[in-house]
Amino acid sequence: MATQRFWTLDDVAEILNVSWSQAYAMVRRKELVAIQIGGRGQWRVEKDELERFIQQKYAEARAVEPDVAGEQVPAGETRDAGVDSPS
């Protein structure tokens, strides 16, 4: 039997543990590349594209460093940039 190449948005939502609406929003924002198939325009996400999306999210997470308060700030930036600290 052939391996599955494409996932439905239901499959993607389950894999990412998000709602169908959240998966659809990622596609509409073009964060996640998908194609429409058939007369009803059902969305399909190629397995390799989903893996690329996941790896990109990991790369983004690695580029963020927690600040002193534990909030995440992009690497090389500070949360309080340009704000005077109390004396």
Side-chain angles (χ1 to χ4, degrees):
M1 182 177 236
T3 15
Q4 188 171 354
R5 179 175 176 180
F6 293 97
W7 300 108
T8 65
L9 286 187
D10 285 329
D11 295 330
V12 170
E14 184 176 337
I15 291 165
L16 296 177
N17 196 29
V18 299
S19 69
W20 182 92
S21 297
Q22 289 170 313
Y24 178 67
M26 287 184 268
V27 169
R28 298 299 293 170
R29 289 191 305 260
K30 301 186 187 296
E31 289 180 50
L32 178 59
V33 177
I35 58 174
Q36 286 187 287
I37 300 292
R40 293 190 285 163
Q42 297 177 350
W43 289 101
R44 295 294 184 267
V45 177
E46 192 169 10
K47 191 175 182 179
D48 291 343
E49 285 297 329
L50 181 57
E51 185 59 33
R52 181 205 53 78
F53 171 79
I54 292 168
Q55 292 306 316
Q56 177 62 37
K57 290 300 178 184
Y58 274 117
E60 290 172 12
R62 287 183 191 104
V64 175
E65 300 172 355
D67 70 0
V68 178
E71 296 181 28
Q72 293 190 346
V73 178
E77 295 182 17
T78 60
R79 187 176 193 294
D80 298 323
V83 176
D84 292 334
S85 58
S87 302

